[in-house]
Amino acid sequence: MPKDAKTSIRKFYQTNKRMPTYSEIMKMLCFKSKNAVFKLVKKLAAGGFLEKDESGKLIPARLYEQTRILGSIQAGFPTPAEEELVDTISLDEYLISNKDATFILKVSGDSMIDAGILEGDLVIVDRSITPKNGDIVIAEVDNDWTIKYLVKTKTQIYLKPGNKLYKPIYPENELKIAAVVKAVIRKY
Amino acid sequence: MPKDAKTSIRKFYQTNKRMPTYSEIMKMLCFKSKNAVFKLVKKLAAGGFLEKDESGKLIPARLYEQTRILGSIQAGFPTPAEEELVDTISLDEYLISNKDATFILKVSGDSMIDAGILEGDLVIVDRSITPKNGDIVIAEVDNDWTIKYLVKTKTQIYLKPGNKLYKPIYPENELKIAAVVKAVIRKY
DNA sequence: ATTATAGGTGAACAATCGTTCACCAACAAG
DNA sequence: CTTGTTGGTGAACGATTGTTCACCTATAAT
């Protein structure tokens, strides 16, 4: 008896990191004819669950690497079965625009807790962005790297901690800003 | 003249969401023989940049959907060129374990600011986890959904806001907990 | 001058690819 | 009973797959 097609294909993609071939789908769904797969794929593609290449190869349509996003939960949670109408995103795509200039680093210290950035959080930083006033930046101060607000006034540039216990840092000579913080992620 | 192989292949994967075929690599690198690709792939695979299937198909090795992670930036930022030795992760894989039970929703209100969860943040929640004492949960209170700490004592269960201005919520009858917060992400 | 070695061409290989055809059983609608 | 429709089998198709072989340069080392 064939297992559920969608979840089987999704699981294949998740483990093999590529879409299965028609023969492979045939085997994993216990079909005995490739044509059965051909017709099944046609249906799934019409339903938007799959997409095909110009050469016929399968490519992952949404909801593969993606996670369902809920605008508001007022209406209650959808069950995993009725997973159709909600929007989905890929976290990587959502958070990272310029991949080559993007790094992740772990926050140490509590100098930004008022900005909701705690010790142990991961920050996604972009080195290709020119920092603006108010941006949270990674800067070098006294041969040490810290995360602070960047404040640009007409007369000067300085770093402001997101913690009232700490004082702003006014650079003596040069202020080296390494990257701009684009996102914060915290895992429990 | 052939362009740089690595970036070309990566770009192909990024746009087509699958690895190129030998012939396709041949065309995009302006080779005239598939064997040239065969040898090139062999080298890249030995260098760890590529991986091959048991059937010879290319599968994306790390650093495709992935982002470089820096344990500490004390040593300074690496340049995009010397991107070898650093560790990399995929944010989706890192943050989401049980994909079918995972949802993303946007935080409204300031009841968790002391926990570093601000209004507008996205929280990644898992519906398949049984909530423990101290977990941050999504719960239904008075036909409304809120995000709070869950406190379990021997005698009772209640919800504690992560904001000193608000009081704990003691459920009158039943306490409906919809999901456990696994991660928080914030984009600037 | 000779010898490797790395990197490319060009042709051939069996295997597998996606696709198409004819055919069949089950089932529901008329 | 007939008539579609749906979902499957089985065989065949040309095209493309990854791979291998022999051969051809360059450039560098001995």
Side-chain angles (χ1 to χ4, degrees):
Chain A
M1 182 201 302
K3 293 173 55 183
D4 177 49
K6 292 189 184 182
T7 56
S8 297
I9 294 176
R10 200 182 309 181
K11 195 165 293 179
F12 184 99
Y13 180 77
Q14 213 159 332
T15 57
N16 297 59
K17 291 183 190 306
R18 67 167 170 88
M19 288 301 259
T21 213
Y22 280 35
S23 315
E24 287 166 336
I25 299 180
M26 184 180 112
K27 280 168 195 158
M28 73 197 213
L29 293 184
C30 302
F31 282 145
K32 295 187 176 176
S33 167
K34 268 199 298 181
N35 189 21
V37 181
F38 182 75
K39 294 179 181 175
L40 185 142
V41 165
K42 216 169 180 177
K43 279 192 55 182
L44 292 180
F49 180 81
L50 280 180
E51 282 182 26
K52 286 214 263 181
D53 240 5
E54 65 283 347
S55 61
K57 295 185 215 311
L58 300 181
I59 57 175
R62 4 192 203 119
L63 53 76
Y64 274 84
E65 288 286 8
Q66 314 226 326
T67 309
R68 298 178 288 291
I69 185 166
L70 274 55
S72 107
I73 45 168
Q74 308 287 357
F77 276 92
T79 67
E82 39 156 309
E83 57 180 72
E84 305 304 333
L85 291 174
V86 288
D87 206 9
T88 66
I89 58 170
S90 157
L91 292 180
D92 287 282
E93 284 184 28
Y94 174 68
L95 293 175
I96 297 171
S97 51
N98 185 354
K99 189 169 297 190
D100 286 331
T102 299
F103 295 87
I104 295 178
L105 53 96
K106 188 176 282 188
V107 174
S108 60
D110 59 350
S111 68
M112 290 299 285
I113 57 168
D114 290 342
I117 301 177
L118 314 181
E119 175 143 22
D121 288 0
L122 299 179
V123 289
I124 298 172
V125 303
D126 191 326
R127 273 169 57 76
S128 66
I129 299 179
T130 52
K132 299 188 309 294
N133 177 39
D135 279 354
I136 299 174
V137 297
I138 306 295
E140 183 176 14
V141 181
D142 299 335
N143 288 327
D144 209 6
W145 296 90
T146 51
I147 174 172
K148 296 280 185 304
Y149 282 112
L150 178 72
V151 181
K152 277 187 181 179
T153 70
K154 286 174 186 172
T155 56
Q156 60 180 344
I157 296 178
Y158 65 97
L159 298 174
K160 187 164 72 76
N163 187 339
K164 300 175 190 86
L165 302 177
Y166 297 156
K167 292 174 194 161
I169 298 174
Y170 297 92
E172 300 162 10
N173 32 26
E174 191 192 11
L175 179 59
K176 285 186 192 164
I177 295 174
V180 176
V181 174
K182 296 283 293 178
V184 181
I185 64 185
R186 181 185 314 133
K187 192 181 176 185
Y188 293 106
Chain B
M1 183 201 301
K3 291 173 56 185
D4 178 48
K6 292 188 183 183
T7 55
S8 297
I9 294 175
R10 200 183 308 181
K11 194 166 292 179
F12 185 98
Y13 179 77
Q14 213 158 332
T15 57
N16 298 59
K17 290 182 188 309
R18 67 169 171 87
M19 287 301 260
T21 211
Y22 279 38
S23 314
E24 288 166 335
I25 299 180
M26 184 181 113
K27 280 167 196 160
M28 73 197 213
L29 292 185
C30 302
F31 281 147
K32 295 187 176 177
S33 167
K34 271 200 297 181
N35 189 20
V37 181
F38 181 77
K39 292 179 182 174
L40 185 142
V41 165
K42 214 169 182 176
K43 279 191 56 181
L44 292 181
F49 180 79
L50 280 180
E51 283 182 24
K52 286 214 261 181
D53 240 7
E54 65 283 348
S55 62
K57 294 184 214 312
L58 302 181
I59 57 176
R62 354 192 213 119
L63 53 78
Y64 275 85
E65 286 288 8
Q66 315 225 327
T67 310
R68 301 179 286 292
I69 185 166
L70 274 58
S72 106
I73 45 168
Q74 307 289 355
F77 278 89
T79 67
E82 40 155 308
E83 58 181 72
E84 305 306 332
L85 292 173
V86 288
D87 206 7
T88 67
I89 59 170
S90 156
L91 293 180
D92 288 281
E93 282 183 31
Y94 175 67
L95 293 175
I96 297 172
S97 51
N98 185 355
K99 189 169 298 190
D100 286 331
T102 299
F103 295 86
I104 295 178
L105 52 95
K106 188 175 282 188
V107 175
S108 59
D110 59 350
S111 67
M112 290 297 285
I113 57 168
D114 289 343
I117 301 177
L118 315 181
E119 175 144 23
D121 288 1
L122 299 180
V123 289
I124 298 171
V125 303
D126 192 326
R127 272 167 60 73
S128 67
I129 299 178
T130 53
K132 302 188 308 293
N133 177 38
D135 279 354
I136 298 173
V137 298
I138 305 295
E140 183 178 14
V141 182
D142 300 335
N143 289 328
D144 210 6
W145 295 91
T146 51
I147 175 172
K148 296 281 183 305
Y149 283 113
L150 178 72
V151 182
K152 278 187 179 178
T153 69
K154 285 173 186 171
T155 55
Q156 61 179 345
I157 296 178
Y158 65 97
L159 299 174
K160 187 163 72 78
N163 186 336
K164 299 175 191 87
L165 302 177
Y166 297 155
K167 292 175 193 162
I169 298 173
Y170 298 92
E172 299 161 10
N173 32 27
E174 191 193 9
L175 179 59
K176 283 187 193 163
I177 295 175
V180 177
V181 173
K182 296 281 292 177
V184 181
I185 64 184
R186 179 184 316 132
K187 191 181 175 184
Y188 294 107

